[in-house]
């Protein structure tokens, strides 16, 4: 058993941890998704128009994916310092970096006024968003899971996950308000799109105050007290656990590729394109907002399920739900009817939530305490590159090449099947002691390929 002193738990402490992780990740992902939605709506015209309509849209979506290439850098940096200096410090730093980049995008000149400088600055700020996102998730997850009672890690781990659909809901909701009420029509293109970016400045102040109020993870506090930090965590991670990093990344890839159909702005762009379905922009934004609310609900349900039936079973149910919706989703969207589209997105959100809610607990229980931040952050970053990084770009290119969204559905199905295979290979470790004293058990038995099965494994 771990020698970590058990702190006196209280409902107030639990609420503070939950609130801090949800608020912080919501703000981070609001910033991230504001860019993705704006890329689908206006950035092709404002920053990449000289390339021509089709190519400009591809470049705009590629700029969404560009940030993913820099997530591993953020994960490496935050993982290194998070395993050496602590989880909380990295959470505050990444929040500030994301907020600053987002706010600056809101004041950028467009190509019409600044020429080639405008898209270059846009891409540089998107890179900063990617570095921040790469480092943020691991810290938020560990603050939640390492604070949690052993029997409630799935639920506590779902709290930072809830920040993603909440961030999407907030982003699409604010954009809907700007597009449909405050700055409709041409005003949205002229200045309305900037307001959601500028709003980030206020949100960052709130997030900073909230995150500073939470004490350091008890697991890291014990590591620091004993001065048992790993000198170069990343080297240790890839030396001993490279296969586990790959498998964990693949577990996430299917969810991320599917999720970026909505969060990456692809469906928004596809449904509103003048030469395509030409659906009303505000109505589509509202439909995406409603689907984000359902995604939130099923992510929370997944947290409860992960504690009751296990992380793996929850994942497998989620991927099954997700895969059966890939084709119906686009069939319903292609009707051009907003209610049919809403139904498709609602069904789609069930699987998204069930394959996202268990992730924090699953990842945290896979990696040893001394390199856990590096392990979860880097696996998440690689999974995002494999899955969602260029999913909107790939989907756009597939439709342009084949003339049908069935090619997009087939692409998503293939990625989800790969992720399902990765889930089956990873061993259930629900309830394993996460403390530094249990490092020896944590080092072995995380996959079915490892014959050194730990005594506490239940799969």
């Amino acid at each position: 058993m771990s020698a970590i002193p058990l702190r006196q738990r209280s409902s107030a402490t639990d609420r503070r941890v939950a609130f801090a992780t949800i608020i912080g990740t919501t703000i981070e992902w609001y910033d991230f998704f504001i860019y993705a939605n704006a890329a689908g709506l206006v950035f092709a015209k404002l920053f990449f128009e000289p390339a021509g309509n089709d190519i400009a849209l591809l470049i705009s979506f590629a700029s969404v994916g560009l940030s993913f290439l820099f997530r591993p850098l953020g994960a490496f940096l935050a993982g290194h310092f998070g395993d050496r200096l602590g989880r909380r410090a990295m959470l505050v730093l990444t929040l500030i970096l994301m907020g600053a980049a987002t706010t600056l995008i809101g004041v950028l000149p467009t190509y019409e006024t600044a020429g080639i400088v405008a898209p270059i600055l846009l891409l540089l700020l998107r890179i900063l968003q990617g570095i921040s996102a790469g480092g943020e998730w691991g810290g938020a997850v560990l603050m939640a899971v390492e604070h949690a009672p052993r029997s409630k890690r799935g639920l506590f781990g779902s709290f930072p996950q809830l920040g993603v659909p909440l961030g999407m809901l907030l982003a699409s909701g604010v954009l809907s308000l700007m597009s449909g009420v405050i700055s409709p029509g041409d005003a949205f293109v002229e200045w309305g799109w900037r307001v959601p970016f500028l709003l980030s400045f206020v949100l960052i102040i709130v997030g900073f105050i909230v995150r500073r109020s939470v004490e350091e993870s008890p697991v890291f506090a014990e590591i620091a007290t004993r001065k048992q930090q790993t000198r170069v965590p990343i080297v240790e991670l890839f030396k001993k656990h490279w296969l586990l990093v790959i498998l964990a990344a693949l577990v996430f890839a299917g969810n991320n590729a599917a999720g970026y159909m909505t969060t990456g702005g692809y469906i928004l762009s596809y449904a509103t394109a003048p030469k395509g379905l030409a659906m009303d922009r505000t109505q589509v934004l509202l439909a995406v907002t409603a689907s984000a609310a359902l995604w939130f609900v099923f992510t929370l349900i997944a947290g409860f399920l992960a504690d009751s039936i296990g992380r793996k079973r929850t994942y497998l149910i989620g991927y099954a739900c997700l895969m059966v919706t890939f084709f119906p989703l686009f069939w319903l969207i292609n009707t051009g009817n907003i209610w049919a589209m809403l139904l498709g997105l609602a069904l789609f959100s069930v699987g998204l939530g069930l394959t996202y809610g268990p992730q924090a607990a699953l990842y945290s229980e896979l990696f040893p305490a001394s390199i856990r931040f590096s392990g979860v952050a880097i696996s998440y970053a690689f999974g995002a590159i494999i899955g969602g990084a260029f999913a909107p770009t790939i989907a756009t290119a597939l439709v342009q090449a084949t003339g049908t969204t069935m090619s997009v559905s087939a692409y998503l199905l293939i990625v989800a099947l790969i992720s399902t295979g990765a889930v089956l290979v990873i061993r259930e470790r629900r309830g394993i002691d996460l403390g530094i004293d249990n490092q020896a058990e944590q080092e072995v038995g995380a996959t079915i390929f490892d014959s050194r099965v730990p005594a506490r494994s239940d799969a």
Side-chain angles (χ1 to χ4, degrees), residues 90-157:
M90 294 303 102
L91 281 179
V92 173
L93 181 61
T94 54
L95 187 71
I96 293 172
L97 179 62
M98 177 69 86
T102 305
T103 302
L104 288 173
I105 290 174
V107 298
L108 279 182
T110 63
Y111 188 93
E112 185 179 8
T113 56
I116 192 65
V117 173
I120 290 174
L121 290 175
L122 180 69
L123 295 179
L124 287 174
L125 291 173
R126 182 58 176 172
I127 287 171
L128 290 180
Q129 283 191 322
I131 293 172
S132 173
E136 196 275 343
W137 188 81
V141 159
L142 294 187
M143 285 292 282
V145 175
E146 290 180 347
H147 269 286
R150 186 177 301 196
S151 63
K152 294 184 178 180
R153 286 183 197 147
L155 176 60
F156 272 60

Side-chain angles (χ1 to χ4, degrees), residues 67-255:
S67 68
F68 286 76
L69 300 181
F70 289 86
R71 279 197 191 185
L73 175 59
F76 274 82
L77 292 173
H80 176 80
F81 291 108
D83 281 327
R84 289 189 58 80
L85 303 179
R87 291 37 166 149
R88 190 176 71 164
M90 294 303 102
L91 281 179
V92 173
L93 181 61
T94 54
L95 187 71
I96 293 172
L97 179 62
M98 177 69 86
T102 305
T103 302
L104 288 173
I105 290 174
V107 298
L108 279 182
T110 63
Y111 188 93
E112 185 179 8
T113 56
I116 192 65
V117 173
I120 290 174
L121 290 175
L122 180 69
L123 295 179
L124 287 174
L125 291 173
R126 182 58 176 172
I127 287 171
L128 290 180
Q129 283 191 322
I131 293 172
S132 173
E136 196 275 343
W137 188 81
V141 159
L142 294 187
M143 285 292 282
V145 175
E146 290 180 347
H147 269 286
R150 186 177 301 196
S151 63
K152 294 184 178 180
R153 286 183 197 147
L155 176 60
F156 272 60
S158 71
F159 293 153
Q161 305 298 82
L162 294 174
V164 178
L166 278 177
M168 183 62 188
L169 191 151
L170 184 60
S172 55
V174 171
L175 282 169
S176 299
L177 183 65
M178 296 305 302
S179 173
V181 180
I182 298 176
S183 57
D186 291 340
F188 181 79
V189 179
E190 291 170 3
W191 61 269
W193 67 271
R194 296 182 183 274
V195 175
F197 287 88
L198 298 175
L199 179 61
S200 176
F201 182 77
V202 177
L203 296 177
I204 291 305
I205 295 174
V206 175
F208 176 82
I209 295 171
V210 170
R211 281 196 164 169
R212 288 283 297 174
S213 71
V214 179
E215 63 191 51
E216 180 58 87
S217 154
V219 173
F220 181 79
E222 183 70 9
I223 292 173
T225 298
R226 299 184 183 189
K227 301 186 184 303
Q228 289 183 298
Q229 296 98 321
T230 302
R231 193 165 68 88
V232 188
I234 295 166
V235 173
E236 184 78 5
L237 175 68
F238 283 102
K239 181 180 178 181
K240 293 184 177 180
H241 305 287
W242 61 269
L243 177 59
L244 192 56
V245 170
I246 294 172
L247 288 171
L250 291 177
V251 167
F252 179 42
N255 169 277

Side-chain angles (χ1 to χ4, degrees), residues 162-457:
L162 294 174
V164 178
L166 278 177
M168 183 62 188
L169 191 151
L170 184 60
S172 55
V174 171
L175 282 169
S176 299
L177 183 65
M178 296 305 302
S179 173
V181 180
I182 298 176
S183 57
D186 291 340
F188 181 79
V189 179
E190 291 170 3
W191 61 269
W193 67 271
R194 296 182 183 274
V195 175
F197 287 88
L198 298 175
L199 179 61
S200 176
F201 182 77
V202 177
L203 296 177
I204 291 305
I205 295 174
V206 175
F208 176 82
I209 295 171
V210 170
R211 281 196 164 169
R212 288 283 297 174
S213 71
V214 179
E215 63 191 51
E216 180 58 87
S217 154
V219 173
F220 181 79
E222 183 70 9
I223 292 173
T225 298
R226 299 184 183 189
K227 301 186 184 303
Q228 289 183 298
Q229 296 98 321
T230 302
R231 193 165 68 88
V232 188
I234 295 166
V235 173
E236 184 78 5
L237 175 68
F238 283 102
K239 181 180 178 181
K240 293 184 177 180
H241 305 287
W242 61 269
L243 177 59
L244 192 56
V245 170
I246 294 172
L247 288 171
L250 291 177
V251 167
F252 179 42
N255 169 277
N256 202 233
Y260 263 77
M261 292 299 98
T262 54
T263 61
Y266 175 72
I267 286 175
L268 184 57
S269 174
Y270 174 76
T272 60
K275 294 183 180 180
L277 297 178
M279 297 175 70
D280 179 77
R281 181 175 61 202
T282 302
Q283 286 187 352
V284 174
L285 279 166
L286 288 172
V288 171
T289 303
S291 72
L294 284 172
W295 184 8
F296 172 93
V297 170
F298 282 96
T299 299
L300 183 59
I301 290 172
F304 285 102
L305 287 175
D307 284 327
S308 61
I309 66 173
R311 294 47 159 141
K312 284 184 62 169
R313 289 190 183 95
T314 305
Y315 256 116
L316 293 173
I317 293 170
Y319 271 123
C321 292
L322 200 54
M323 286 187 283
V324 299
T325 63
F326 287 144
F327 287 93
L329 170 66
F330 285 101
W331 294 338
L332 290 166
I333 291 173
N334 286 333
T335 65
N337 181 283
I338 192 64
W339 296 108
M341 178 182 185
L342 180 59
L343 174 61
L345 289 171
L347 296 173
F348 190 57
S349 297
V350 175
L352 280 181
L354 294 180
T355 53
Y356 200 54
Q359 185 169 356
L362 179 78
Y363 271 31
S364 298
E365 291 167 341
L366 288 179
F367 295 98
S370 62
I371 58 170
R372 186 171 293 137
F373 198 133
S374 297
V376 299
I378 292 169
S379 297
Y380 187 86
F382 284 167
I385 291 176
I386 298 168
F390 297 103
T393 308
I394 292 170
T396 301
L398 284 171
V399 172
Q400 289 179 2
T402 65
T404 174
T405 54
M406 290 187 69
S407 58
V408 179
S409 299
Y411 153 67
L412 295 175
L413 181 61
I414 291 170
V415 182
L417 285 170
I418 293 172
S419 292
T420 302
V423 172
L424 291 171
V425 168
I426 286 176
R427 182 172 276 121
E428 177 77 57
R429 308 235 288 186
R430 179 172 31 142
I432 189 172
D433 188 337
L434 297 180
I436 188 65
D437 280 345
N438 198 44
Q439 179 101 350
E441 182 183 356
Q442 297 160 12
E443 290 276 1
V444 301
T447 74
I448 62 174
F449 302 125
D450 190 343
S451 60
R452 301 167 298 168
V453 180
R456 300 188 68 87
S457 175

Side-chain angles (χ1 to χ4, degrees), residues 36-89:
N37 283 331
L41 290 173
V42 297
F43 282 176
K45 175 179 176 62
L46 295 176
F47 291 94
F48 308 110
E49 188 174 28
N53 291 336
D54 289 345
I55 300 300
L57 185 59
L58 283 172
I59 296 173
S60 186
F61 279 137
S63 74
V64 175
L66 175 67
S67 68
F68 286 76
L69 300 181
F70 289 86
R71 279 197 191 185
L73 175 59
F76 274 82
L77 292 173
H80 176 80
F81 291 108
D83 281 327
R84 289 189 58 80
L85 303 179
R87 291 37 166 149
R88 190 176 71 164

